Amino acid sequence: MKYKLVTAIAVSAMAIFSCSTDTDTLGSSLTNETDKLEVSTGSFSAYTHSVLVDSVYARNYDTYFGRVRDPETGTYVKTEFMAQFNIQEGLSMPTRNEILSKDAEGNIVADSCEIWMIFDKSACFGDSLASLKMNILELNKPMSEAETYYSNYDPRKEGFIREDGLKKSFLFSLSNLTFSDSIRSTSDYTDYARISLSDEYTDRNGNKYNNYGTYILRNYYDHPEYFKNSYAFTNNICPGFFFELADGLGLMAKFYVIEMRIFYRFQKSNTEYISFLATSSTPEVLQTTQVTNDKEALASLVEDQSCTYLKAPAGIFTEVTLPVDEIVQSHTTDSLLSVNMTFQRQNSNTVESPYLLSAPTSIMMIPTDSLKVFFEKEKSYDYKSAFMSTLATTNSYTFSNIGNLITLLSENKRKGLASDPEWLDKHPNWNKVLLMPIAVTSVNSTSTESVIENQMGLASTKLMGGLNTPIEVKVVYARFKNQ
């Protein structure tokens, strides 16, 4: 019964210990005179090193596009993306006879078709006047829900690009100077890029249309079954597009809305209206990010043993070798109350610049061998095998109690060796965890549920550690005095 009591009061003990370093009277504060806890502490060393990241799981909510150079490390990173477009279920359009936008033969046409890309300027990086050249390339097949897409995925090599399909190139910057200063200064103005798809278009069956929007509208009236949901739409009408960086440097743009608008006119009750059919790239359909990093430059950073790095997107993680055996075996009759680690950032040696990359706001700690399944299964931190920390005002990341993780790793080893004497050789990472930058996205504004993703935006920091600088692991143990 007393062993169970230790577990039951562990939460209380950890709360008290976190407020005070004085453990002399902790036992008497939690139990009566008969069953006092004996609390002791320990300090151990964990060792860290940088790990070059080949790629990360790239199905994501956030959409980034651009190419920049990190002034602190001299490394370059480029991001591009593939996106599908969501069609509203139960979509209702004017009847065919109500449409006024028609050609000389009476066929329905779109007055124009555009893609609007609205910037999330709070999350963009770089010079607002820097220009990027983007190619919008039509896909010849939709991305598959059954497939896992990583950031090194090459849509050209995988045959996703329709070589004779729609291709549109345009130049843009964060500050859309095509609008006058008077328009840009209004309170409701938002910077965005607007790309016309109003050139002649030929579909996969060889049918010609005066623009891409006309192709969409005519199919709506000829094949309404293709518009009943997003799956039907992407598999029969619009597989999506690849947004390719053709040229440019110095800007990483984040888009919070990517929308295709198909404009048309219709008449109802003798009144003429101008309207548009809107389809958006949203979390309900697939979005994937392609990342191209300067691997040679990143490799030289990994070799630096004076510190470790965290770089996103898909750049460098920090791997930590935890002293699991030392923590468990040094107090075999005690229970773990608390296991704490703090990773201190190193200050940059680069002269202060507005274009220095920011440190990750949030990082995650998970077992090294769990990386793949964690993101592919869209898991979240549970404070058992996955832990999150945010950048504190002390310029550090603290994991306040990873005791559950230490216990889990120790138990995995015990069970593994019991069934297979060669288990350690087959599981060399059994006591290793990874630190990585993450993005935490709310599912919607009315829910507390959130999704954990690899950070696809820019982030970079150095951490104290490396070959000759161990990281302290602070442990609090407890047991009953009369054991």
Side-chain angles (χ1 to χ4, degrees), residues 109-125:
V109 297
D111 294 330
S112 63
C113 180
E114 299 173 339
I115 289 182
W116 289 38
M117 308 178 75
I118 302 177
F119 302 118
D120 180 356
K121 295 194 74 172
S122 65
C124 294
F125 175 88

Side-chain angles (χ1 to χ4, degrees), residues 284-295:
E284 285 76 22
V285 289
L286 284 173
Q287 295 179 158
T288 65
T289 300
Q290 282 68 55
V291 179
T292 305
N293 269 310
D294 186 345
K295 295 296 186 183

